[in-house]
């Protein structure tokens, strides 16, 4: 029963985790703190009104690495928890207070000025269990309470927080901002941001929208947030529950360690999301919903969706994180459907499924809902986000729009301001639809893996024979119940859709109706599954003309595997598909085929297509083909200032993969081009790493140094792995595993995964045990385990690798000499 726990996710010592139990209720919190923005110190007092659930129960609060200066009652502090010991009985209400000082290593971050910004910026990040580093609190999602926060900061800094601003007190050279969260919220959602902000406001149907924009950012912020009110109104209408708070602020901060965080009414977002018109609409005027390149809408929609799923109702512990993250990812896709249409929505769900498959294939499988973990951060993965969104899409398809929306509304209204689990969700959908859903929950929420369906068909003696077989591995549910639809398109143009319940390992369907032109399984993409398609070439070519986008995507997959000249011609025609997602997949398919004819078709089609994301896919495909006849074209794209930033970045990366003789010169020139989040420079660094020369290594090492912007540093550090386990590479990766910057440390750990260098094992084990960030600890542990398995393969394998490395080193030296001579 591997599907119960999955594969390679839980380590041997992992034990089931359950929601924390408290012997008291928190009725209210008052927090009064002063923040020294320059020294990184927070000090003050926190006061709670609490009620006893049992006689004599202690009030236990999480408080890590603090100096406790006093408390209102007898207490004990061990460096991680404060245990306050009042004399009280069940039902008694009292107030407890702790005064403290902290210099937090996590939870609250102090960002120093650099070349692009003046002044210090301070922000907090509480999820999962990091607020405990700067305020004593019961740090668990299954406890909720309202609060009032007073934050004192030096002028001219602005301090924002959750809820409503009730007072600003002038204290000479300092101001105190008093914020009130009037609704009960989980402690990890408490947030503060401090900086030199300009606060812009607008009204959205009675809700105040605020935008906290750092003064180092100009009017470009409007490209990121122009759809905020439309998104809020759509979610309120679709979910049947109006936006449940008085205010919604989006706060831009530098050096954020995520894309965004949904602190109730006070979402914090990375300044990487700020972009110019050229990043958004490189080939047209703004807005350009049919031709967007980079957009902040997915991030804005995702974080706002959390105001309902995650904040209004909250997962009672991290095992049920699907209530927060699966829903936010899915609802984000609903905005895509509302703003751009059904094909865009389905392609986003399709892309989410492929993203999950990447994690499933390369790392592990696990049930979306599992309490077998050690670090809460571990469950914030592609299973919880992308796979969960596909499962919700499938639930929507099975229940129908009316029952699905009715279930969402019932769930939100019934559990408003409460902590819930996935069984609460199931009961709401069962009540709304009148259907039993235990089978669905067991297969798709509580089991690892996914269905794999092998499909083949043949026609003889006037009958169609269609065979469907479940072929998933042992880490997936043994036999799924899949209510599939099959579209049959006949040679004479007739179409019919048959319903097939695939609830056995294999089902064979015989149809008397004439000769089929092609067969398409699940044409409207209702179900989550991998398809292994055994279709004839001619039928796949014909299916490229189908009206359903998912059928055309299936045709692309079949043609990619075929790879014949006829398949290349058909895929080249698909580059002009009416939907950009199909065209992009056709481009990638041609790149994987990689023949001279495929490359010629890609280059020929480039100027005809107008969607920047199709152009991105074309230049990516040219790198996958690795044919030198593509190099001059990629070089031209890279240096075209009128091109999309992201297309040029992809061209730089591909140019390195092709290993063109003039690539190093071209890529060094591209390092100077300005772009959104330095995306062209980062593509050039990845391209140089693909070349693997000594000169390229010097350049990449230089861009990993601390004076470079964080996105550039992280890209450079991760790119080091392409050079193999040279001494200077191993030394650099080892050093950057201890960098102050989370993104750099994470990049170093992932570089170690590609290097698989045993010398890095002690460093990885140290990160796995000591890193302040749970994500770094998890990946470091995974990489260390992979290196150990690699070492167990024996000395012969190691000797072979050493010989290969010697050959690679000789090749690098030779390539360097040749490049110098050519220059």
């Amino acid at each position: 029963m591997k599907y119960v726990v999955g594969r390679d996710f839980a380590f041997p010592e992992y034990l089931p985790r359950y929601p924390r139990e408290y012997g008291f209720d928190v009725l209210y919190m008052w927090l009064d703190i002063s923040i020294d923005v320059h020294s990184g110190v927070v000090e003050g007092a926190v006061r709670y009104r609490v009620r006893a659930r049992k006689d004599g129960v202690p009030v236990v609060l999480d408080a890590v690495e603090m100096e406790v200066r006093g408390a209102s009652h007898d207490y004990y502090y061990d460096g991680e928890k404060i245990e306050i010991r009042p004399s009280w009985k069940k039902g008694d209400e009292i107030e407890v207070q702790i005064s403290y000082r902290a210099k937090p290593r996590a939870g609250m971050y102090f960002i120093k000025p650099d070349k692009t910004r003046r002044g210090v910026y301070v922000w907090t990040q509480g999820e999962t269990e990091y607020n405990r580093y700067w305020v004593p609190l019961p740090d668990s999602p299954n406890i909720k309470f309202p609060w009032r926060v007073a934050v004192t900061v030096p002028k001219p800094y602005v301090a924002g927080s959750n809820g409503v601003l009730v007072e600003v007190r002038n204290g000479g050279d300092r101001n105190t901002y008093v914020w009130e969260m009037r609704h009960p919220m989980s402690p990890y959602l408490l947030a503060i941001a401090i900086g030199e902000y300009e606060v812009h406001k607008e009204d959205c149907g009675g809700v105040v929208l605020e935008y906290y924009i750092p003064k180092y950012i100009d009017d470009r912020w409007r490209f990121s947030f122009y759809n905020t009110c439309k998104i809020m109104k759509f979610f309120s209408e679709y979910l049947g529950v109006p936006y449940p708070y008085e205010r919604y602020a989006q706060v831009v901060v530098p050096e954020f360690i995520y894309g965004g965080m949904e602190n109730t009414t006070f979402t914090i977002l990375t300044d990487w999301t700020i972009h110019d018109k050229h990043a958004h609409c490189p080939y047209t005027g703004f807005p350009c919903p049919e031709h967007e390149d980079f957009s902040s809408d997915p991030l804005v929609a995702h974080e706002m969706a959390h105001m309902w799923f995650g904040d209004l109702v909250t997962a009672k512990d991290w095992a049920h994180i699907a209530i927060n993250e699966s829903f936010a990812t899915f609802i984000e896709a609903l905005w895509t459907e509302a703003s751009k249409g059904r094909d865009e929505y389905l392609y986003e769900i399709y892309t989410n499924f492929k993203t999950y498959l990447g994690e499933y294939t390369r790392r592990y499988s696990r049930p979306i809902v599992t309490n077998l973990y050690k670090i809460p951060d571990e469950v914030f993965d592609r299973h919880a986000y992308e796979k969960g969104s596909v499962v919700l899409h499938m639930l929507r398809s099975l229940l129908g729009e009316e029952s699905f929306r009715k279930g969402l509304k019932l769930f939100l209204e019934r559990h408003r301001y409460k902590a819930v689990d996935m069984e609460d969700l199931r009961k709401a959908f069962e009540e709304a639809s009148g259907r039993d859903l235990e089978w669905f929950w067991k297969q798709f929420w509580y089991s690892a893996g996914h269905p794999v369906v092998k499909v083949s068909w043949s026609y003889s003696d006037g009958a169609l024979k269609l065979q469907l077989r479940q072929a998933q591995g042992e880490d997936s549910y043994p036999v799924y119940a899949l209510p599939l639809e099959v579209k049959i398109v006949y040679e004479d143009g007739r179409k019919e859709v048959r319903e097939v319940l695939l609830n056995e390992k294999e089902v064979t369907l015989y149809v008397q109706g004439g000769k089929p032109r092609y067969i398409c399984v699940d044409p409207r993409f209702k179900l989550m599954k991998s398809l292994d398609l055994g279709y004839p070439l001619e039928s796949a070519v014909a299916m490229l003309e189908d009206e359903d986008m998912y059928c055309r995507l299936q045709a692309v997959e079949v043609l990619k595997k075929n790879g014949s000249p006829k398949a290349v011609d058909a895929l080249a025609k698909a580059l002009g598909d009416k939907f950009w997602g199909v065209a992009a997949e056709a481009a990638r398919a041609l790149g994987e085929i990689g023949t001279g004819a495929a490359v010629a078709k890609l280059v020929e089609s480039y100027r005809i297509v107008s969607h920047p994301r199709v152009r991105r896919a074309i230049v990516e495909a040219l790198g996958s083909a690795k044919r030198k006849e593509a190099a001059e074209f990629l070089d031209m794209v890279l240096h075209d200032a009128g091109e999309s930033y992201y297309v040029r970045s992809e061209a730089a990366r591909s140019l390195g993969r092709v290993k063109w003789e003039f690539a190093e010169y071209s890529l060094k020139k591209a390092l100077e081009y300005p772009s959104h989040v330095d995306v062209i420079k980062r593509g050039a660094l990845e391209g140089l790493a693909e070349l693997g020369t000594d000169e390229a290594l010097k350049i990449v090492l230089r861009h990993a140094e601390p004076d470079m912007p964080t996105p550039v540093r992280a890209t450079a550090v991760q790119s080091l792995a392409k050079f193999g386990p040279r001494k200077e590479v191993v030394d650099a990766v080892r050093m950057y595993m201890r960098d102050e910057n989370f993104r750099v440390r994470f990049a170093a750990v992932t570089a170690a995964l590609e290097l698989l260098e045993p010398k890095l094992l002690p460093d990885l084990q140290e990160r796995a045990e000591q890193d302040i960030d749970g994500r770094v600890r998890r990946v470091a542990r995974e990489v260390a385990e992979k290196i150990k398995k690699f070492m167990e393969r024996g000395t012969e394998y190691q000797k072979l690798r050493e010989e290969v490395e010697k050959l690679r080193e000789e090749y690098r030296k030779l390539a360097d000499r040749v490049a110098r001579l050519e220059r």
Side-chain angles (χ1 to χ4, degrees):
M1 294 177 61
K2 289 184 180 179
Y3 64 90
V4 176
V5 294
R7 161 185 48 82
D8 298 333
F9 175 74
F11 293 111
E13 75 276 12
Y14 281 20
L15 296 172
R17 293 180 54 142
Y18 299 95
R20 284 171 62 175
E21 291 188 27
Y22 291 94
F24 58 92
D25 296 313
V26 176
L27 305 179
Y28 204 87
M29 179 190 79
W30 294 266
L31 177 63
D32 191 343
I33 55 175
S34 177
I35 297 178
D36 188 328
V37 300
H38 300 292
S39 65
V41 170
V42 53
E43 58 184 326
V46 63
R47 177 164 51 101
Y48 291 95
R49 184 157 191 83
V50 290
R51 180 172 54 221
R53 292 182 179 177
K54 295 186 259 184
D55 292 349
V57 67
V59 177
V60 180
L61 304 175
D62 300 288
V64 179
E65 300 173 3
M66 293 183 184
E67 176 190 338
V68 179
R69 292 179 163 179
S72 57
H73 297 74
D74 181 40
Y75 73 93
Y76 170 75
Y77 179 54
D78 64 3
E80 292 188 355
K81 293 185 187 311
I82 299 173
E83 186 175 299
I84 301 169
R85 300 161 176 167
S87 297
W88 59 341
K89 294 182 178 180
K90 180 179 178 181
D92 287 351
E93 291 184 14
I94 64 169
E95 290 186 5
V96 297
Q97 179 169 312
I98 303 103
S99 56
Y100 69 98
R101 181 180 187 274
K103 191 176 176 65
R105 291 193 300 139
M108 181 178 284
Y109 298 82
F110 296 78
I111 309 303
K112 298 175 183 177
D114 68 4
K115 297 173 185 175
T116 63
R117 59 180 182 265
R118 292 182 295 177
V120 176
Y121 285 82
V122 182
W123 45 264
T124 62
Q125 169 53 36
E127 193 176 44
T128 50
E129 297 176 343
Y130 296 105
N131 275 342
R132 63 182 64 183
Y133 283 86
W134 65 274
V135 54
L137 80 177
D139 200 5
S140 178
N142 70 330
I143 190 167
K144 288 195 164 198
F145 48 86
W147 61 70
R148 178 177 283 222
V149 174
V151 187
T152 301
V153 295
K155 294 179 180 178
Y157 293 103
V158 174
S161 188
N162 313 82
V164 178
L165 181 65
V166 294
E167 184 183 5
V168 180
R169 297 196 292 263
N170 189 338
D173 62 346
R174 302 192 301 172
N175 281 332
T176 299
Y177 294 81
V178 183
W179 292 91
E180 186 174 63
M181 168 48 66
R182 295 169 178 169
H183 312 285
M185 286 295 133
S186 297
Y188 76 89
L189 295 165
L190 169 64
I192 292 170
I194 298 162
E196 294 190 45
Y197 282 109
E198 291 182 353
V199 182
H200 303 267
K201 297 184 180 183
E202 67 172 303
D203 177 80
C204 183
V207 177
V208 177
L209 300 183
E210 295 180 348
Y211 308 94
Y212 280 63
I213 308 300
K215 288 190 175 179
Y216 63 84
I217 291 174
D218 55 29
D219 270 359
R220 288 171 300 151
W221 67 272
R222 297 183 187 277
F223 293 111
S224 297
F225 303 126
Y226 75 105
N227 271 330
T228 298
C229 185
K230 291 179 182 177
I231 294 170
M232 179 176 286
K233 287 180 177 179
F234 168 68
F235 288 169
S236 296
E237 188 275 329
Y238 187 91
L239 298 172
V241 177
Y243 178 77
Y245 317 102
E246 304 86 350
R247 154 190 182 249
Y248 185 65
Q250 292 177 101
V251 186
V252 177
V253 303
E255 302 294 339
F256 198 50
I257 57 175
Y258 293 96
M261 176 60 206
E262 66 276 8
N263 314 296
T264 315
T265 74
F266 194 71
T267 288
I268 293 178
L269 302 163
T270 173
D271 62 358
W272 294 8
T273 202
I274 303 298
H275 58 281
D276 60 18
K277 182 264 174 189
H278 189 71
H280 202 113
C281 303
Y283 309 136
T284 65
F286 177 88
C288 54
E290 301 299 321
H291 290 85
E292 286 181 334
D293 198 0
F294 180 90
S295 171
S296 296
D297 267 16
L299 178 62
V300 171
H302 182 100
E303 303 308 332
M304 190 187 292
H306 276 305
M307 297 299 113
W308 287 266
F309 286 90
D311 296 3
L312 183 62
V313 294
T314 307
K316 72 179 182 182
D317 79 335
W318 306 115
H320 298 271
I321 195 59
I323 288 168
N324 298 23
E325 298 302 350
S326 297
F327 266 104
T329 309
F330 169 72
I331 295 171
E332 168 193 332
L334 289 179
W335 166 248
T336 299
E337 180 179 34
S339 59
K340 297 181 181 179
R342 184 71 178 178
D343 279 356
E344 289 270 5
Y345 162 77
L346 289 176
Y347 188 64
E348 186 167 328
I349 297 294
Y350 173 80
T351 304
N352 286 351
F353 181 58
K354 289 176 69 175
T355 301
Y356 148 72
L357 286 178
E359 182 170 83
Y360 171 86
T361 303
R362 293 189 289 270
R363 293 181 67 189
Y364 54 73
S365 69
R366 68 171 183 87
I368 297 174
V369 181
T370 180
N371 65 354
L372 201 61
Y373 63 92
K374 183 177 182 181
I375 307 168
D377 301 63
E378 290 178 291
V379 296
F380 288 74
D381 59 5
R382 309 284 64 86
H383 285 65
Y385 286 71
E386 283 83 359
K387 181 185 179 184
S389 76
V390 183
V391 173
L392 287 169
H393 161 72
M394 180 164 50
L395 184 64
R396 180 194 189 195
S397 301
L398 291 173
L399 295 184
E401 190 73 357
E402 183 179 351
S403 292
F404 182 73
R405 291 177 66 174
K406 185 178 176 183
L408 293 176
K409 187 175 188 293
L410 178 62
F411 177 68
L412 291 169
E413 290 181 337
R414 176 176 290 170
H415 302 290
R416 178 183 291 259
Y417 303 122
K418 295 178 183 177
V420 295
D421 61 24
M422 291 296 288
E423 286 301 288
D424 295 316
L425 182 70
R426 177 176 66 83
K427 290 169 186 174
F429 275 116
E430 286 184 337
E431 185 174 328
S433 65
R435 298 175 62 175
D436 177 79
L437 294 171
E438 189 172 352
W439 66 275
F440 186 93
W441 255 239
K442 186 173 183 180
Q443 289 182 175
F444 298 107
W445 293 116
Y446 299 151
S447 296
H450 56 274
V452 176
V453 182
K454 294 180 74 73
V455 184
S456 62
W457 65 271
S458 60
Y459 178 77
S460 63
D461 299 327
L464 163 68
K465 179 183 179 182
L466 174 66
Q467 291 180 298
L468 303 168
R469 181 167 67 86
Q470 295 194 35
Q472 55 269 10
E474 291 183 0
D475 63 356
S476 299
Y477 200 76
V479 181
Y480 290 90
L482 296 173
L484 283 169
E485 292 179 347
V486 178
K487 178 196 282 189
I488 306 170
V489 178
Y490 295 99
E491 289 284 5
D492 60 9
R494 288 178 297 113
K495 300 176 183 179
E496 67 171 313
V497 176
R498 293 286 186 104
E499 293 184 0
V500 182
L501 178 59
L502 182 59
N503 59 357
E504 303 175 48
K505 269 291 186 183
E506 188 167 350
V507 169
T508 301
L509 182 69
Y510 292 92
V511 180
Q512 300 280 349
K515 186 176 182 182
R517 192 176 181 210
Y518 59 85
I519 306 293
C520 178
V521 173
D522 190 19
R524 291 180 288 176
F525 189 36
K526 292 183 175 182
L527 304 181
M528 179 182 73
K529 76 277 167 216
S530 285
L531 291 176
D532 185 347
L533 302 173
Y535 292 169
L537 173 62
E538 293 294 338
S539 73
V541 172
M543 193 158 61
L544 279 177
E545 303 294 329
D546 194 87
E547 70 270 24
D548 285 310
M549 181 266 295
Y550 186 53
C551 294
R552 304 200 299 277
L553 289 175
Q554 291 181 43
V556 168
E557 286 297 311
V558 174
L559 294 168
K560 177 175 67 177
K561 291 178 183 176
N562 181 278
S564 66
K566 188 161 189 176
V568 168
D569 288 342
L571 288 168
K573 187 177 179 182
L575 291 172
D577 192 276
K578 61 184 178 181
F579 177 60
W580 72 267
V582 175
E585 296 297 332
R588 295 186 185 101
L590 286 168
E592 288 191 37
I593 291 171
T595 61
V599 167
K601 296 290 186 183
L602 287 166
V603 172
E604 180 184 327
S605 299
Y606 183 84
R607 291 301 181 193
I608 299 171
V609 302
S610 58
H611 201 295
R613 297 188 188 185
V614 180
R615 289 191 170 189
R616 269 199 234 180
I618 289 174
V619 294
E620 175 192 341
L622 290 172
S624 298
K626 297 183 180 180
R627 296 183 70 92
K628 291 194 175 182
E629 56 262 41
E632 290 185 0
F633 176 77
L634 290 168
D635 182 66
M636 178 190 69
V637 171
L638 173 58
H639 300 294
D640 182 352
E643 262 296 354
S644 150
Y645 298 140
Y646 286 86
V647 171
R648 295 170 73 189
S649 176
E650 200 64 61
R653 195 175 296 109
S654 290
L655 198 57
R657 291 162 70 195
V658 170
K659 293 182 169 52
W660 184 42
E661 56 190 348
F662 301 110
E664 188 174 292
Y665 172 81
S666 180
L667 293 169
K668 285 167 70 175
K669 186 177 176 183
L671 291 170
E672 305 303 318
Y673 296 146
S675 58
H676 175 231
V677 204
D678 284 315
V679 68
I680 297 176
K681 179 179 288 189
R682 288 154 57 202
L685 289 170
E686 291 180 287
L688 286 164
E690 292 284 353
L691 297 178
T693 65
D694 288 343
E695 177 65 16
L697 177 57
K698 289 178 184 177
I699 294 169
V700 171
L701 285 169
R702 170 67 189 95
H703 283 82
E705 292 178 4
D707 62 329
M708 291 289 176
T710 296
V712 173
R713 294 190 69 206
T715 297
V717 170
Q718 188 151 3
S719 296
L720 287 171
K722 294 291 182 183
F723 296 92
R726 307 189 197 186
K727 182 181 184 304
E728 56 265 56
V729 168
V730 173
D731 289 347
V733 170
R734 178 178 289 129
M735 176 178 66
Y736 289 125
M737 278 191 207
R738 295 167 178 82
D739 198 89
E740 289 185 3
N741 189 297
F742 156 74
R743 292 185 184 274
V744 172
R745 294 200 310 280
F746 194 86
V749 171
T750 53
L753 174 61
E754 189 172 346
L755 286 168
L756 286 179
E757 174 52 57
K759 292 176 184 176
L760 290 171
L761 196 53
D763 308 277
L764 289 163
Q765 290 172 328
E766 177 193 283
R767 289 299 90 203
E769 295 167 4
Q770 298 179 16
D771 202 276
I772 197 74
D773 191 279
R775 292 166 294 173
V776 174
R777 294 203 300 276
R778 167 70 203 198
V779 176
R781 174 77 183 270
E782 276 190 45
V783 178
E785 294 297 324
K786 287 184 184 297
I787 290 176
K788 289 175 186 176
K789 289 180 182 177
F790 168 74
M791 293 170 69
E792 289 169 2
R793 291 177 182 174
T795 55
E796 289 185 9
Y797 191 91
Q798 182 64 25
K799 287 179 182 177
L800 176 61
R801 173 173 168 164
E802 288 170 358
E803 290 299 317
V804 170
E805 281 304 312
K806 288 178 183 177
L807 289 171
R808 288 172 67 181
E809 187 61 27
E810 289 300 316
Y811 172 79
R812 289 191 195 100
K813 291 178 181 177
L814 176 62
D816 278 353
R817 286 197 295 270
V818 171
R820 283 196 294 271
L821 286 170
E822 288 173 340
R823 285 197 294 274

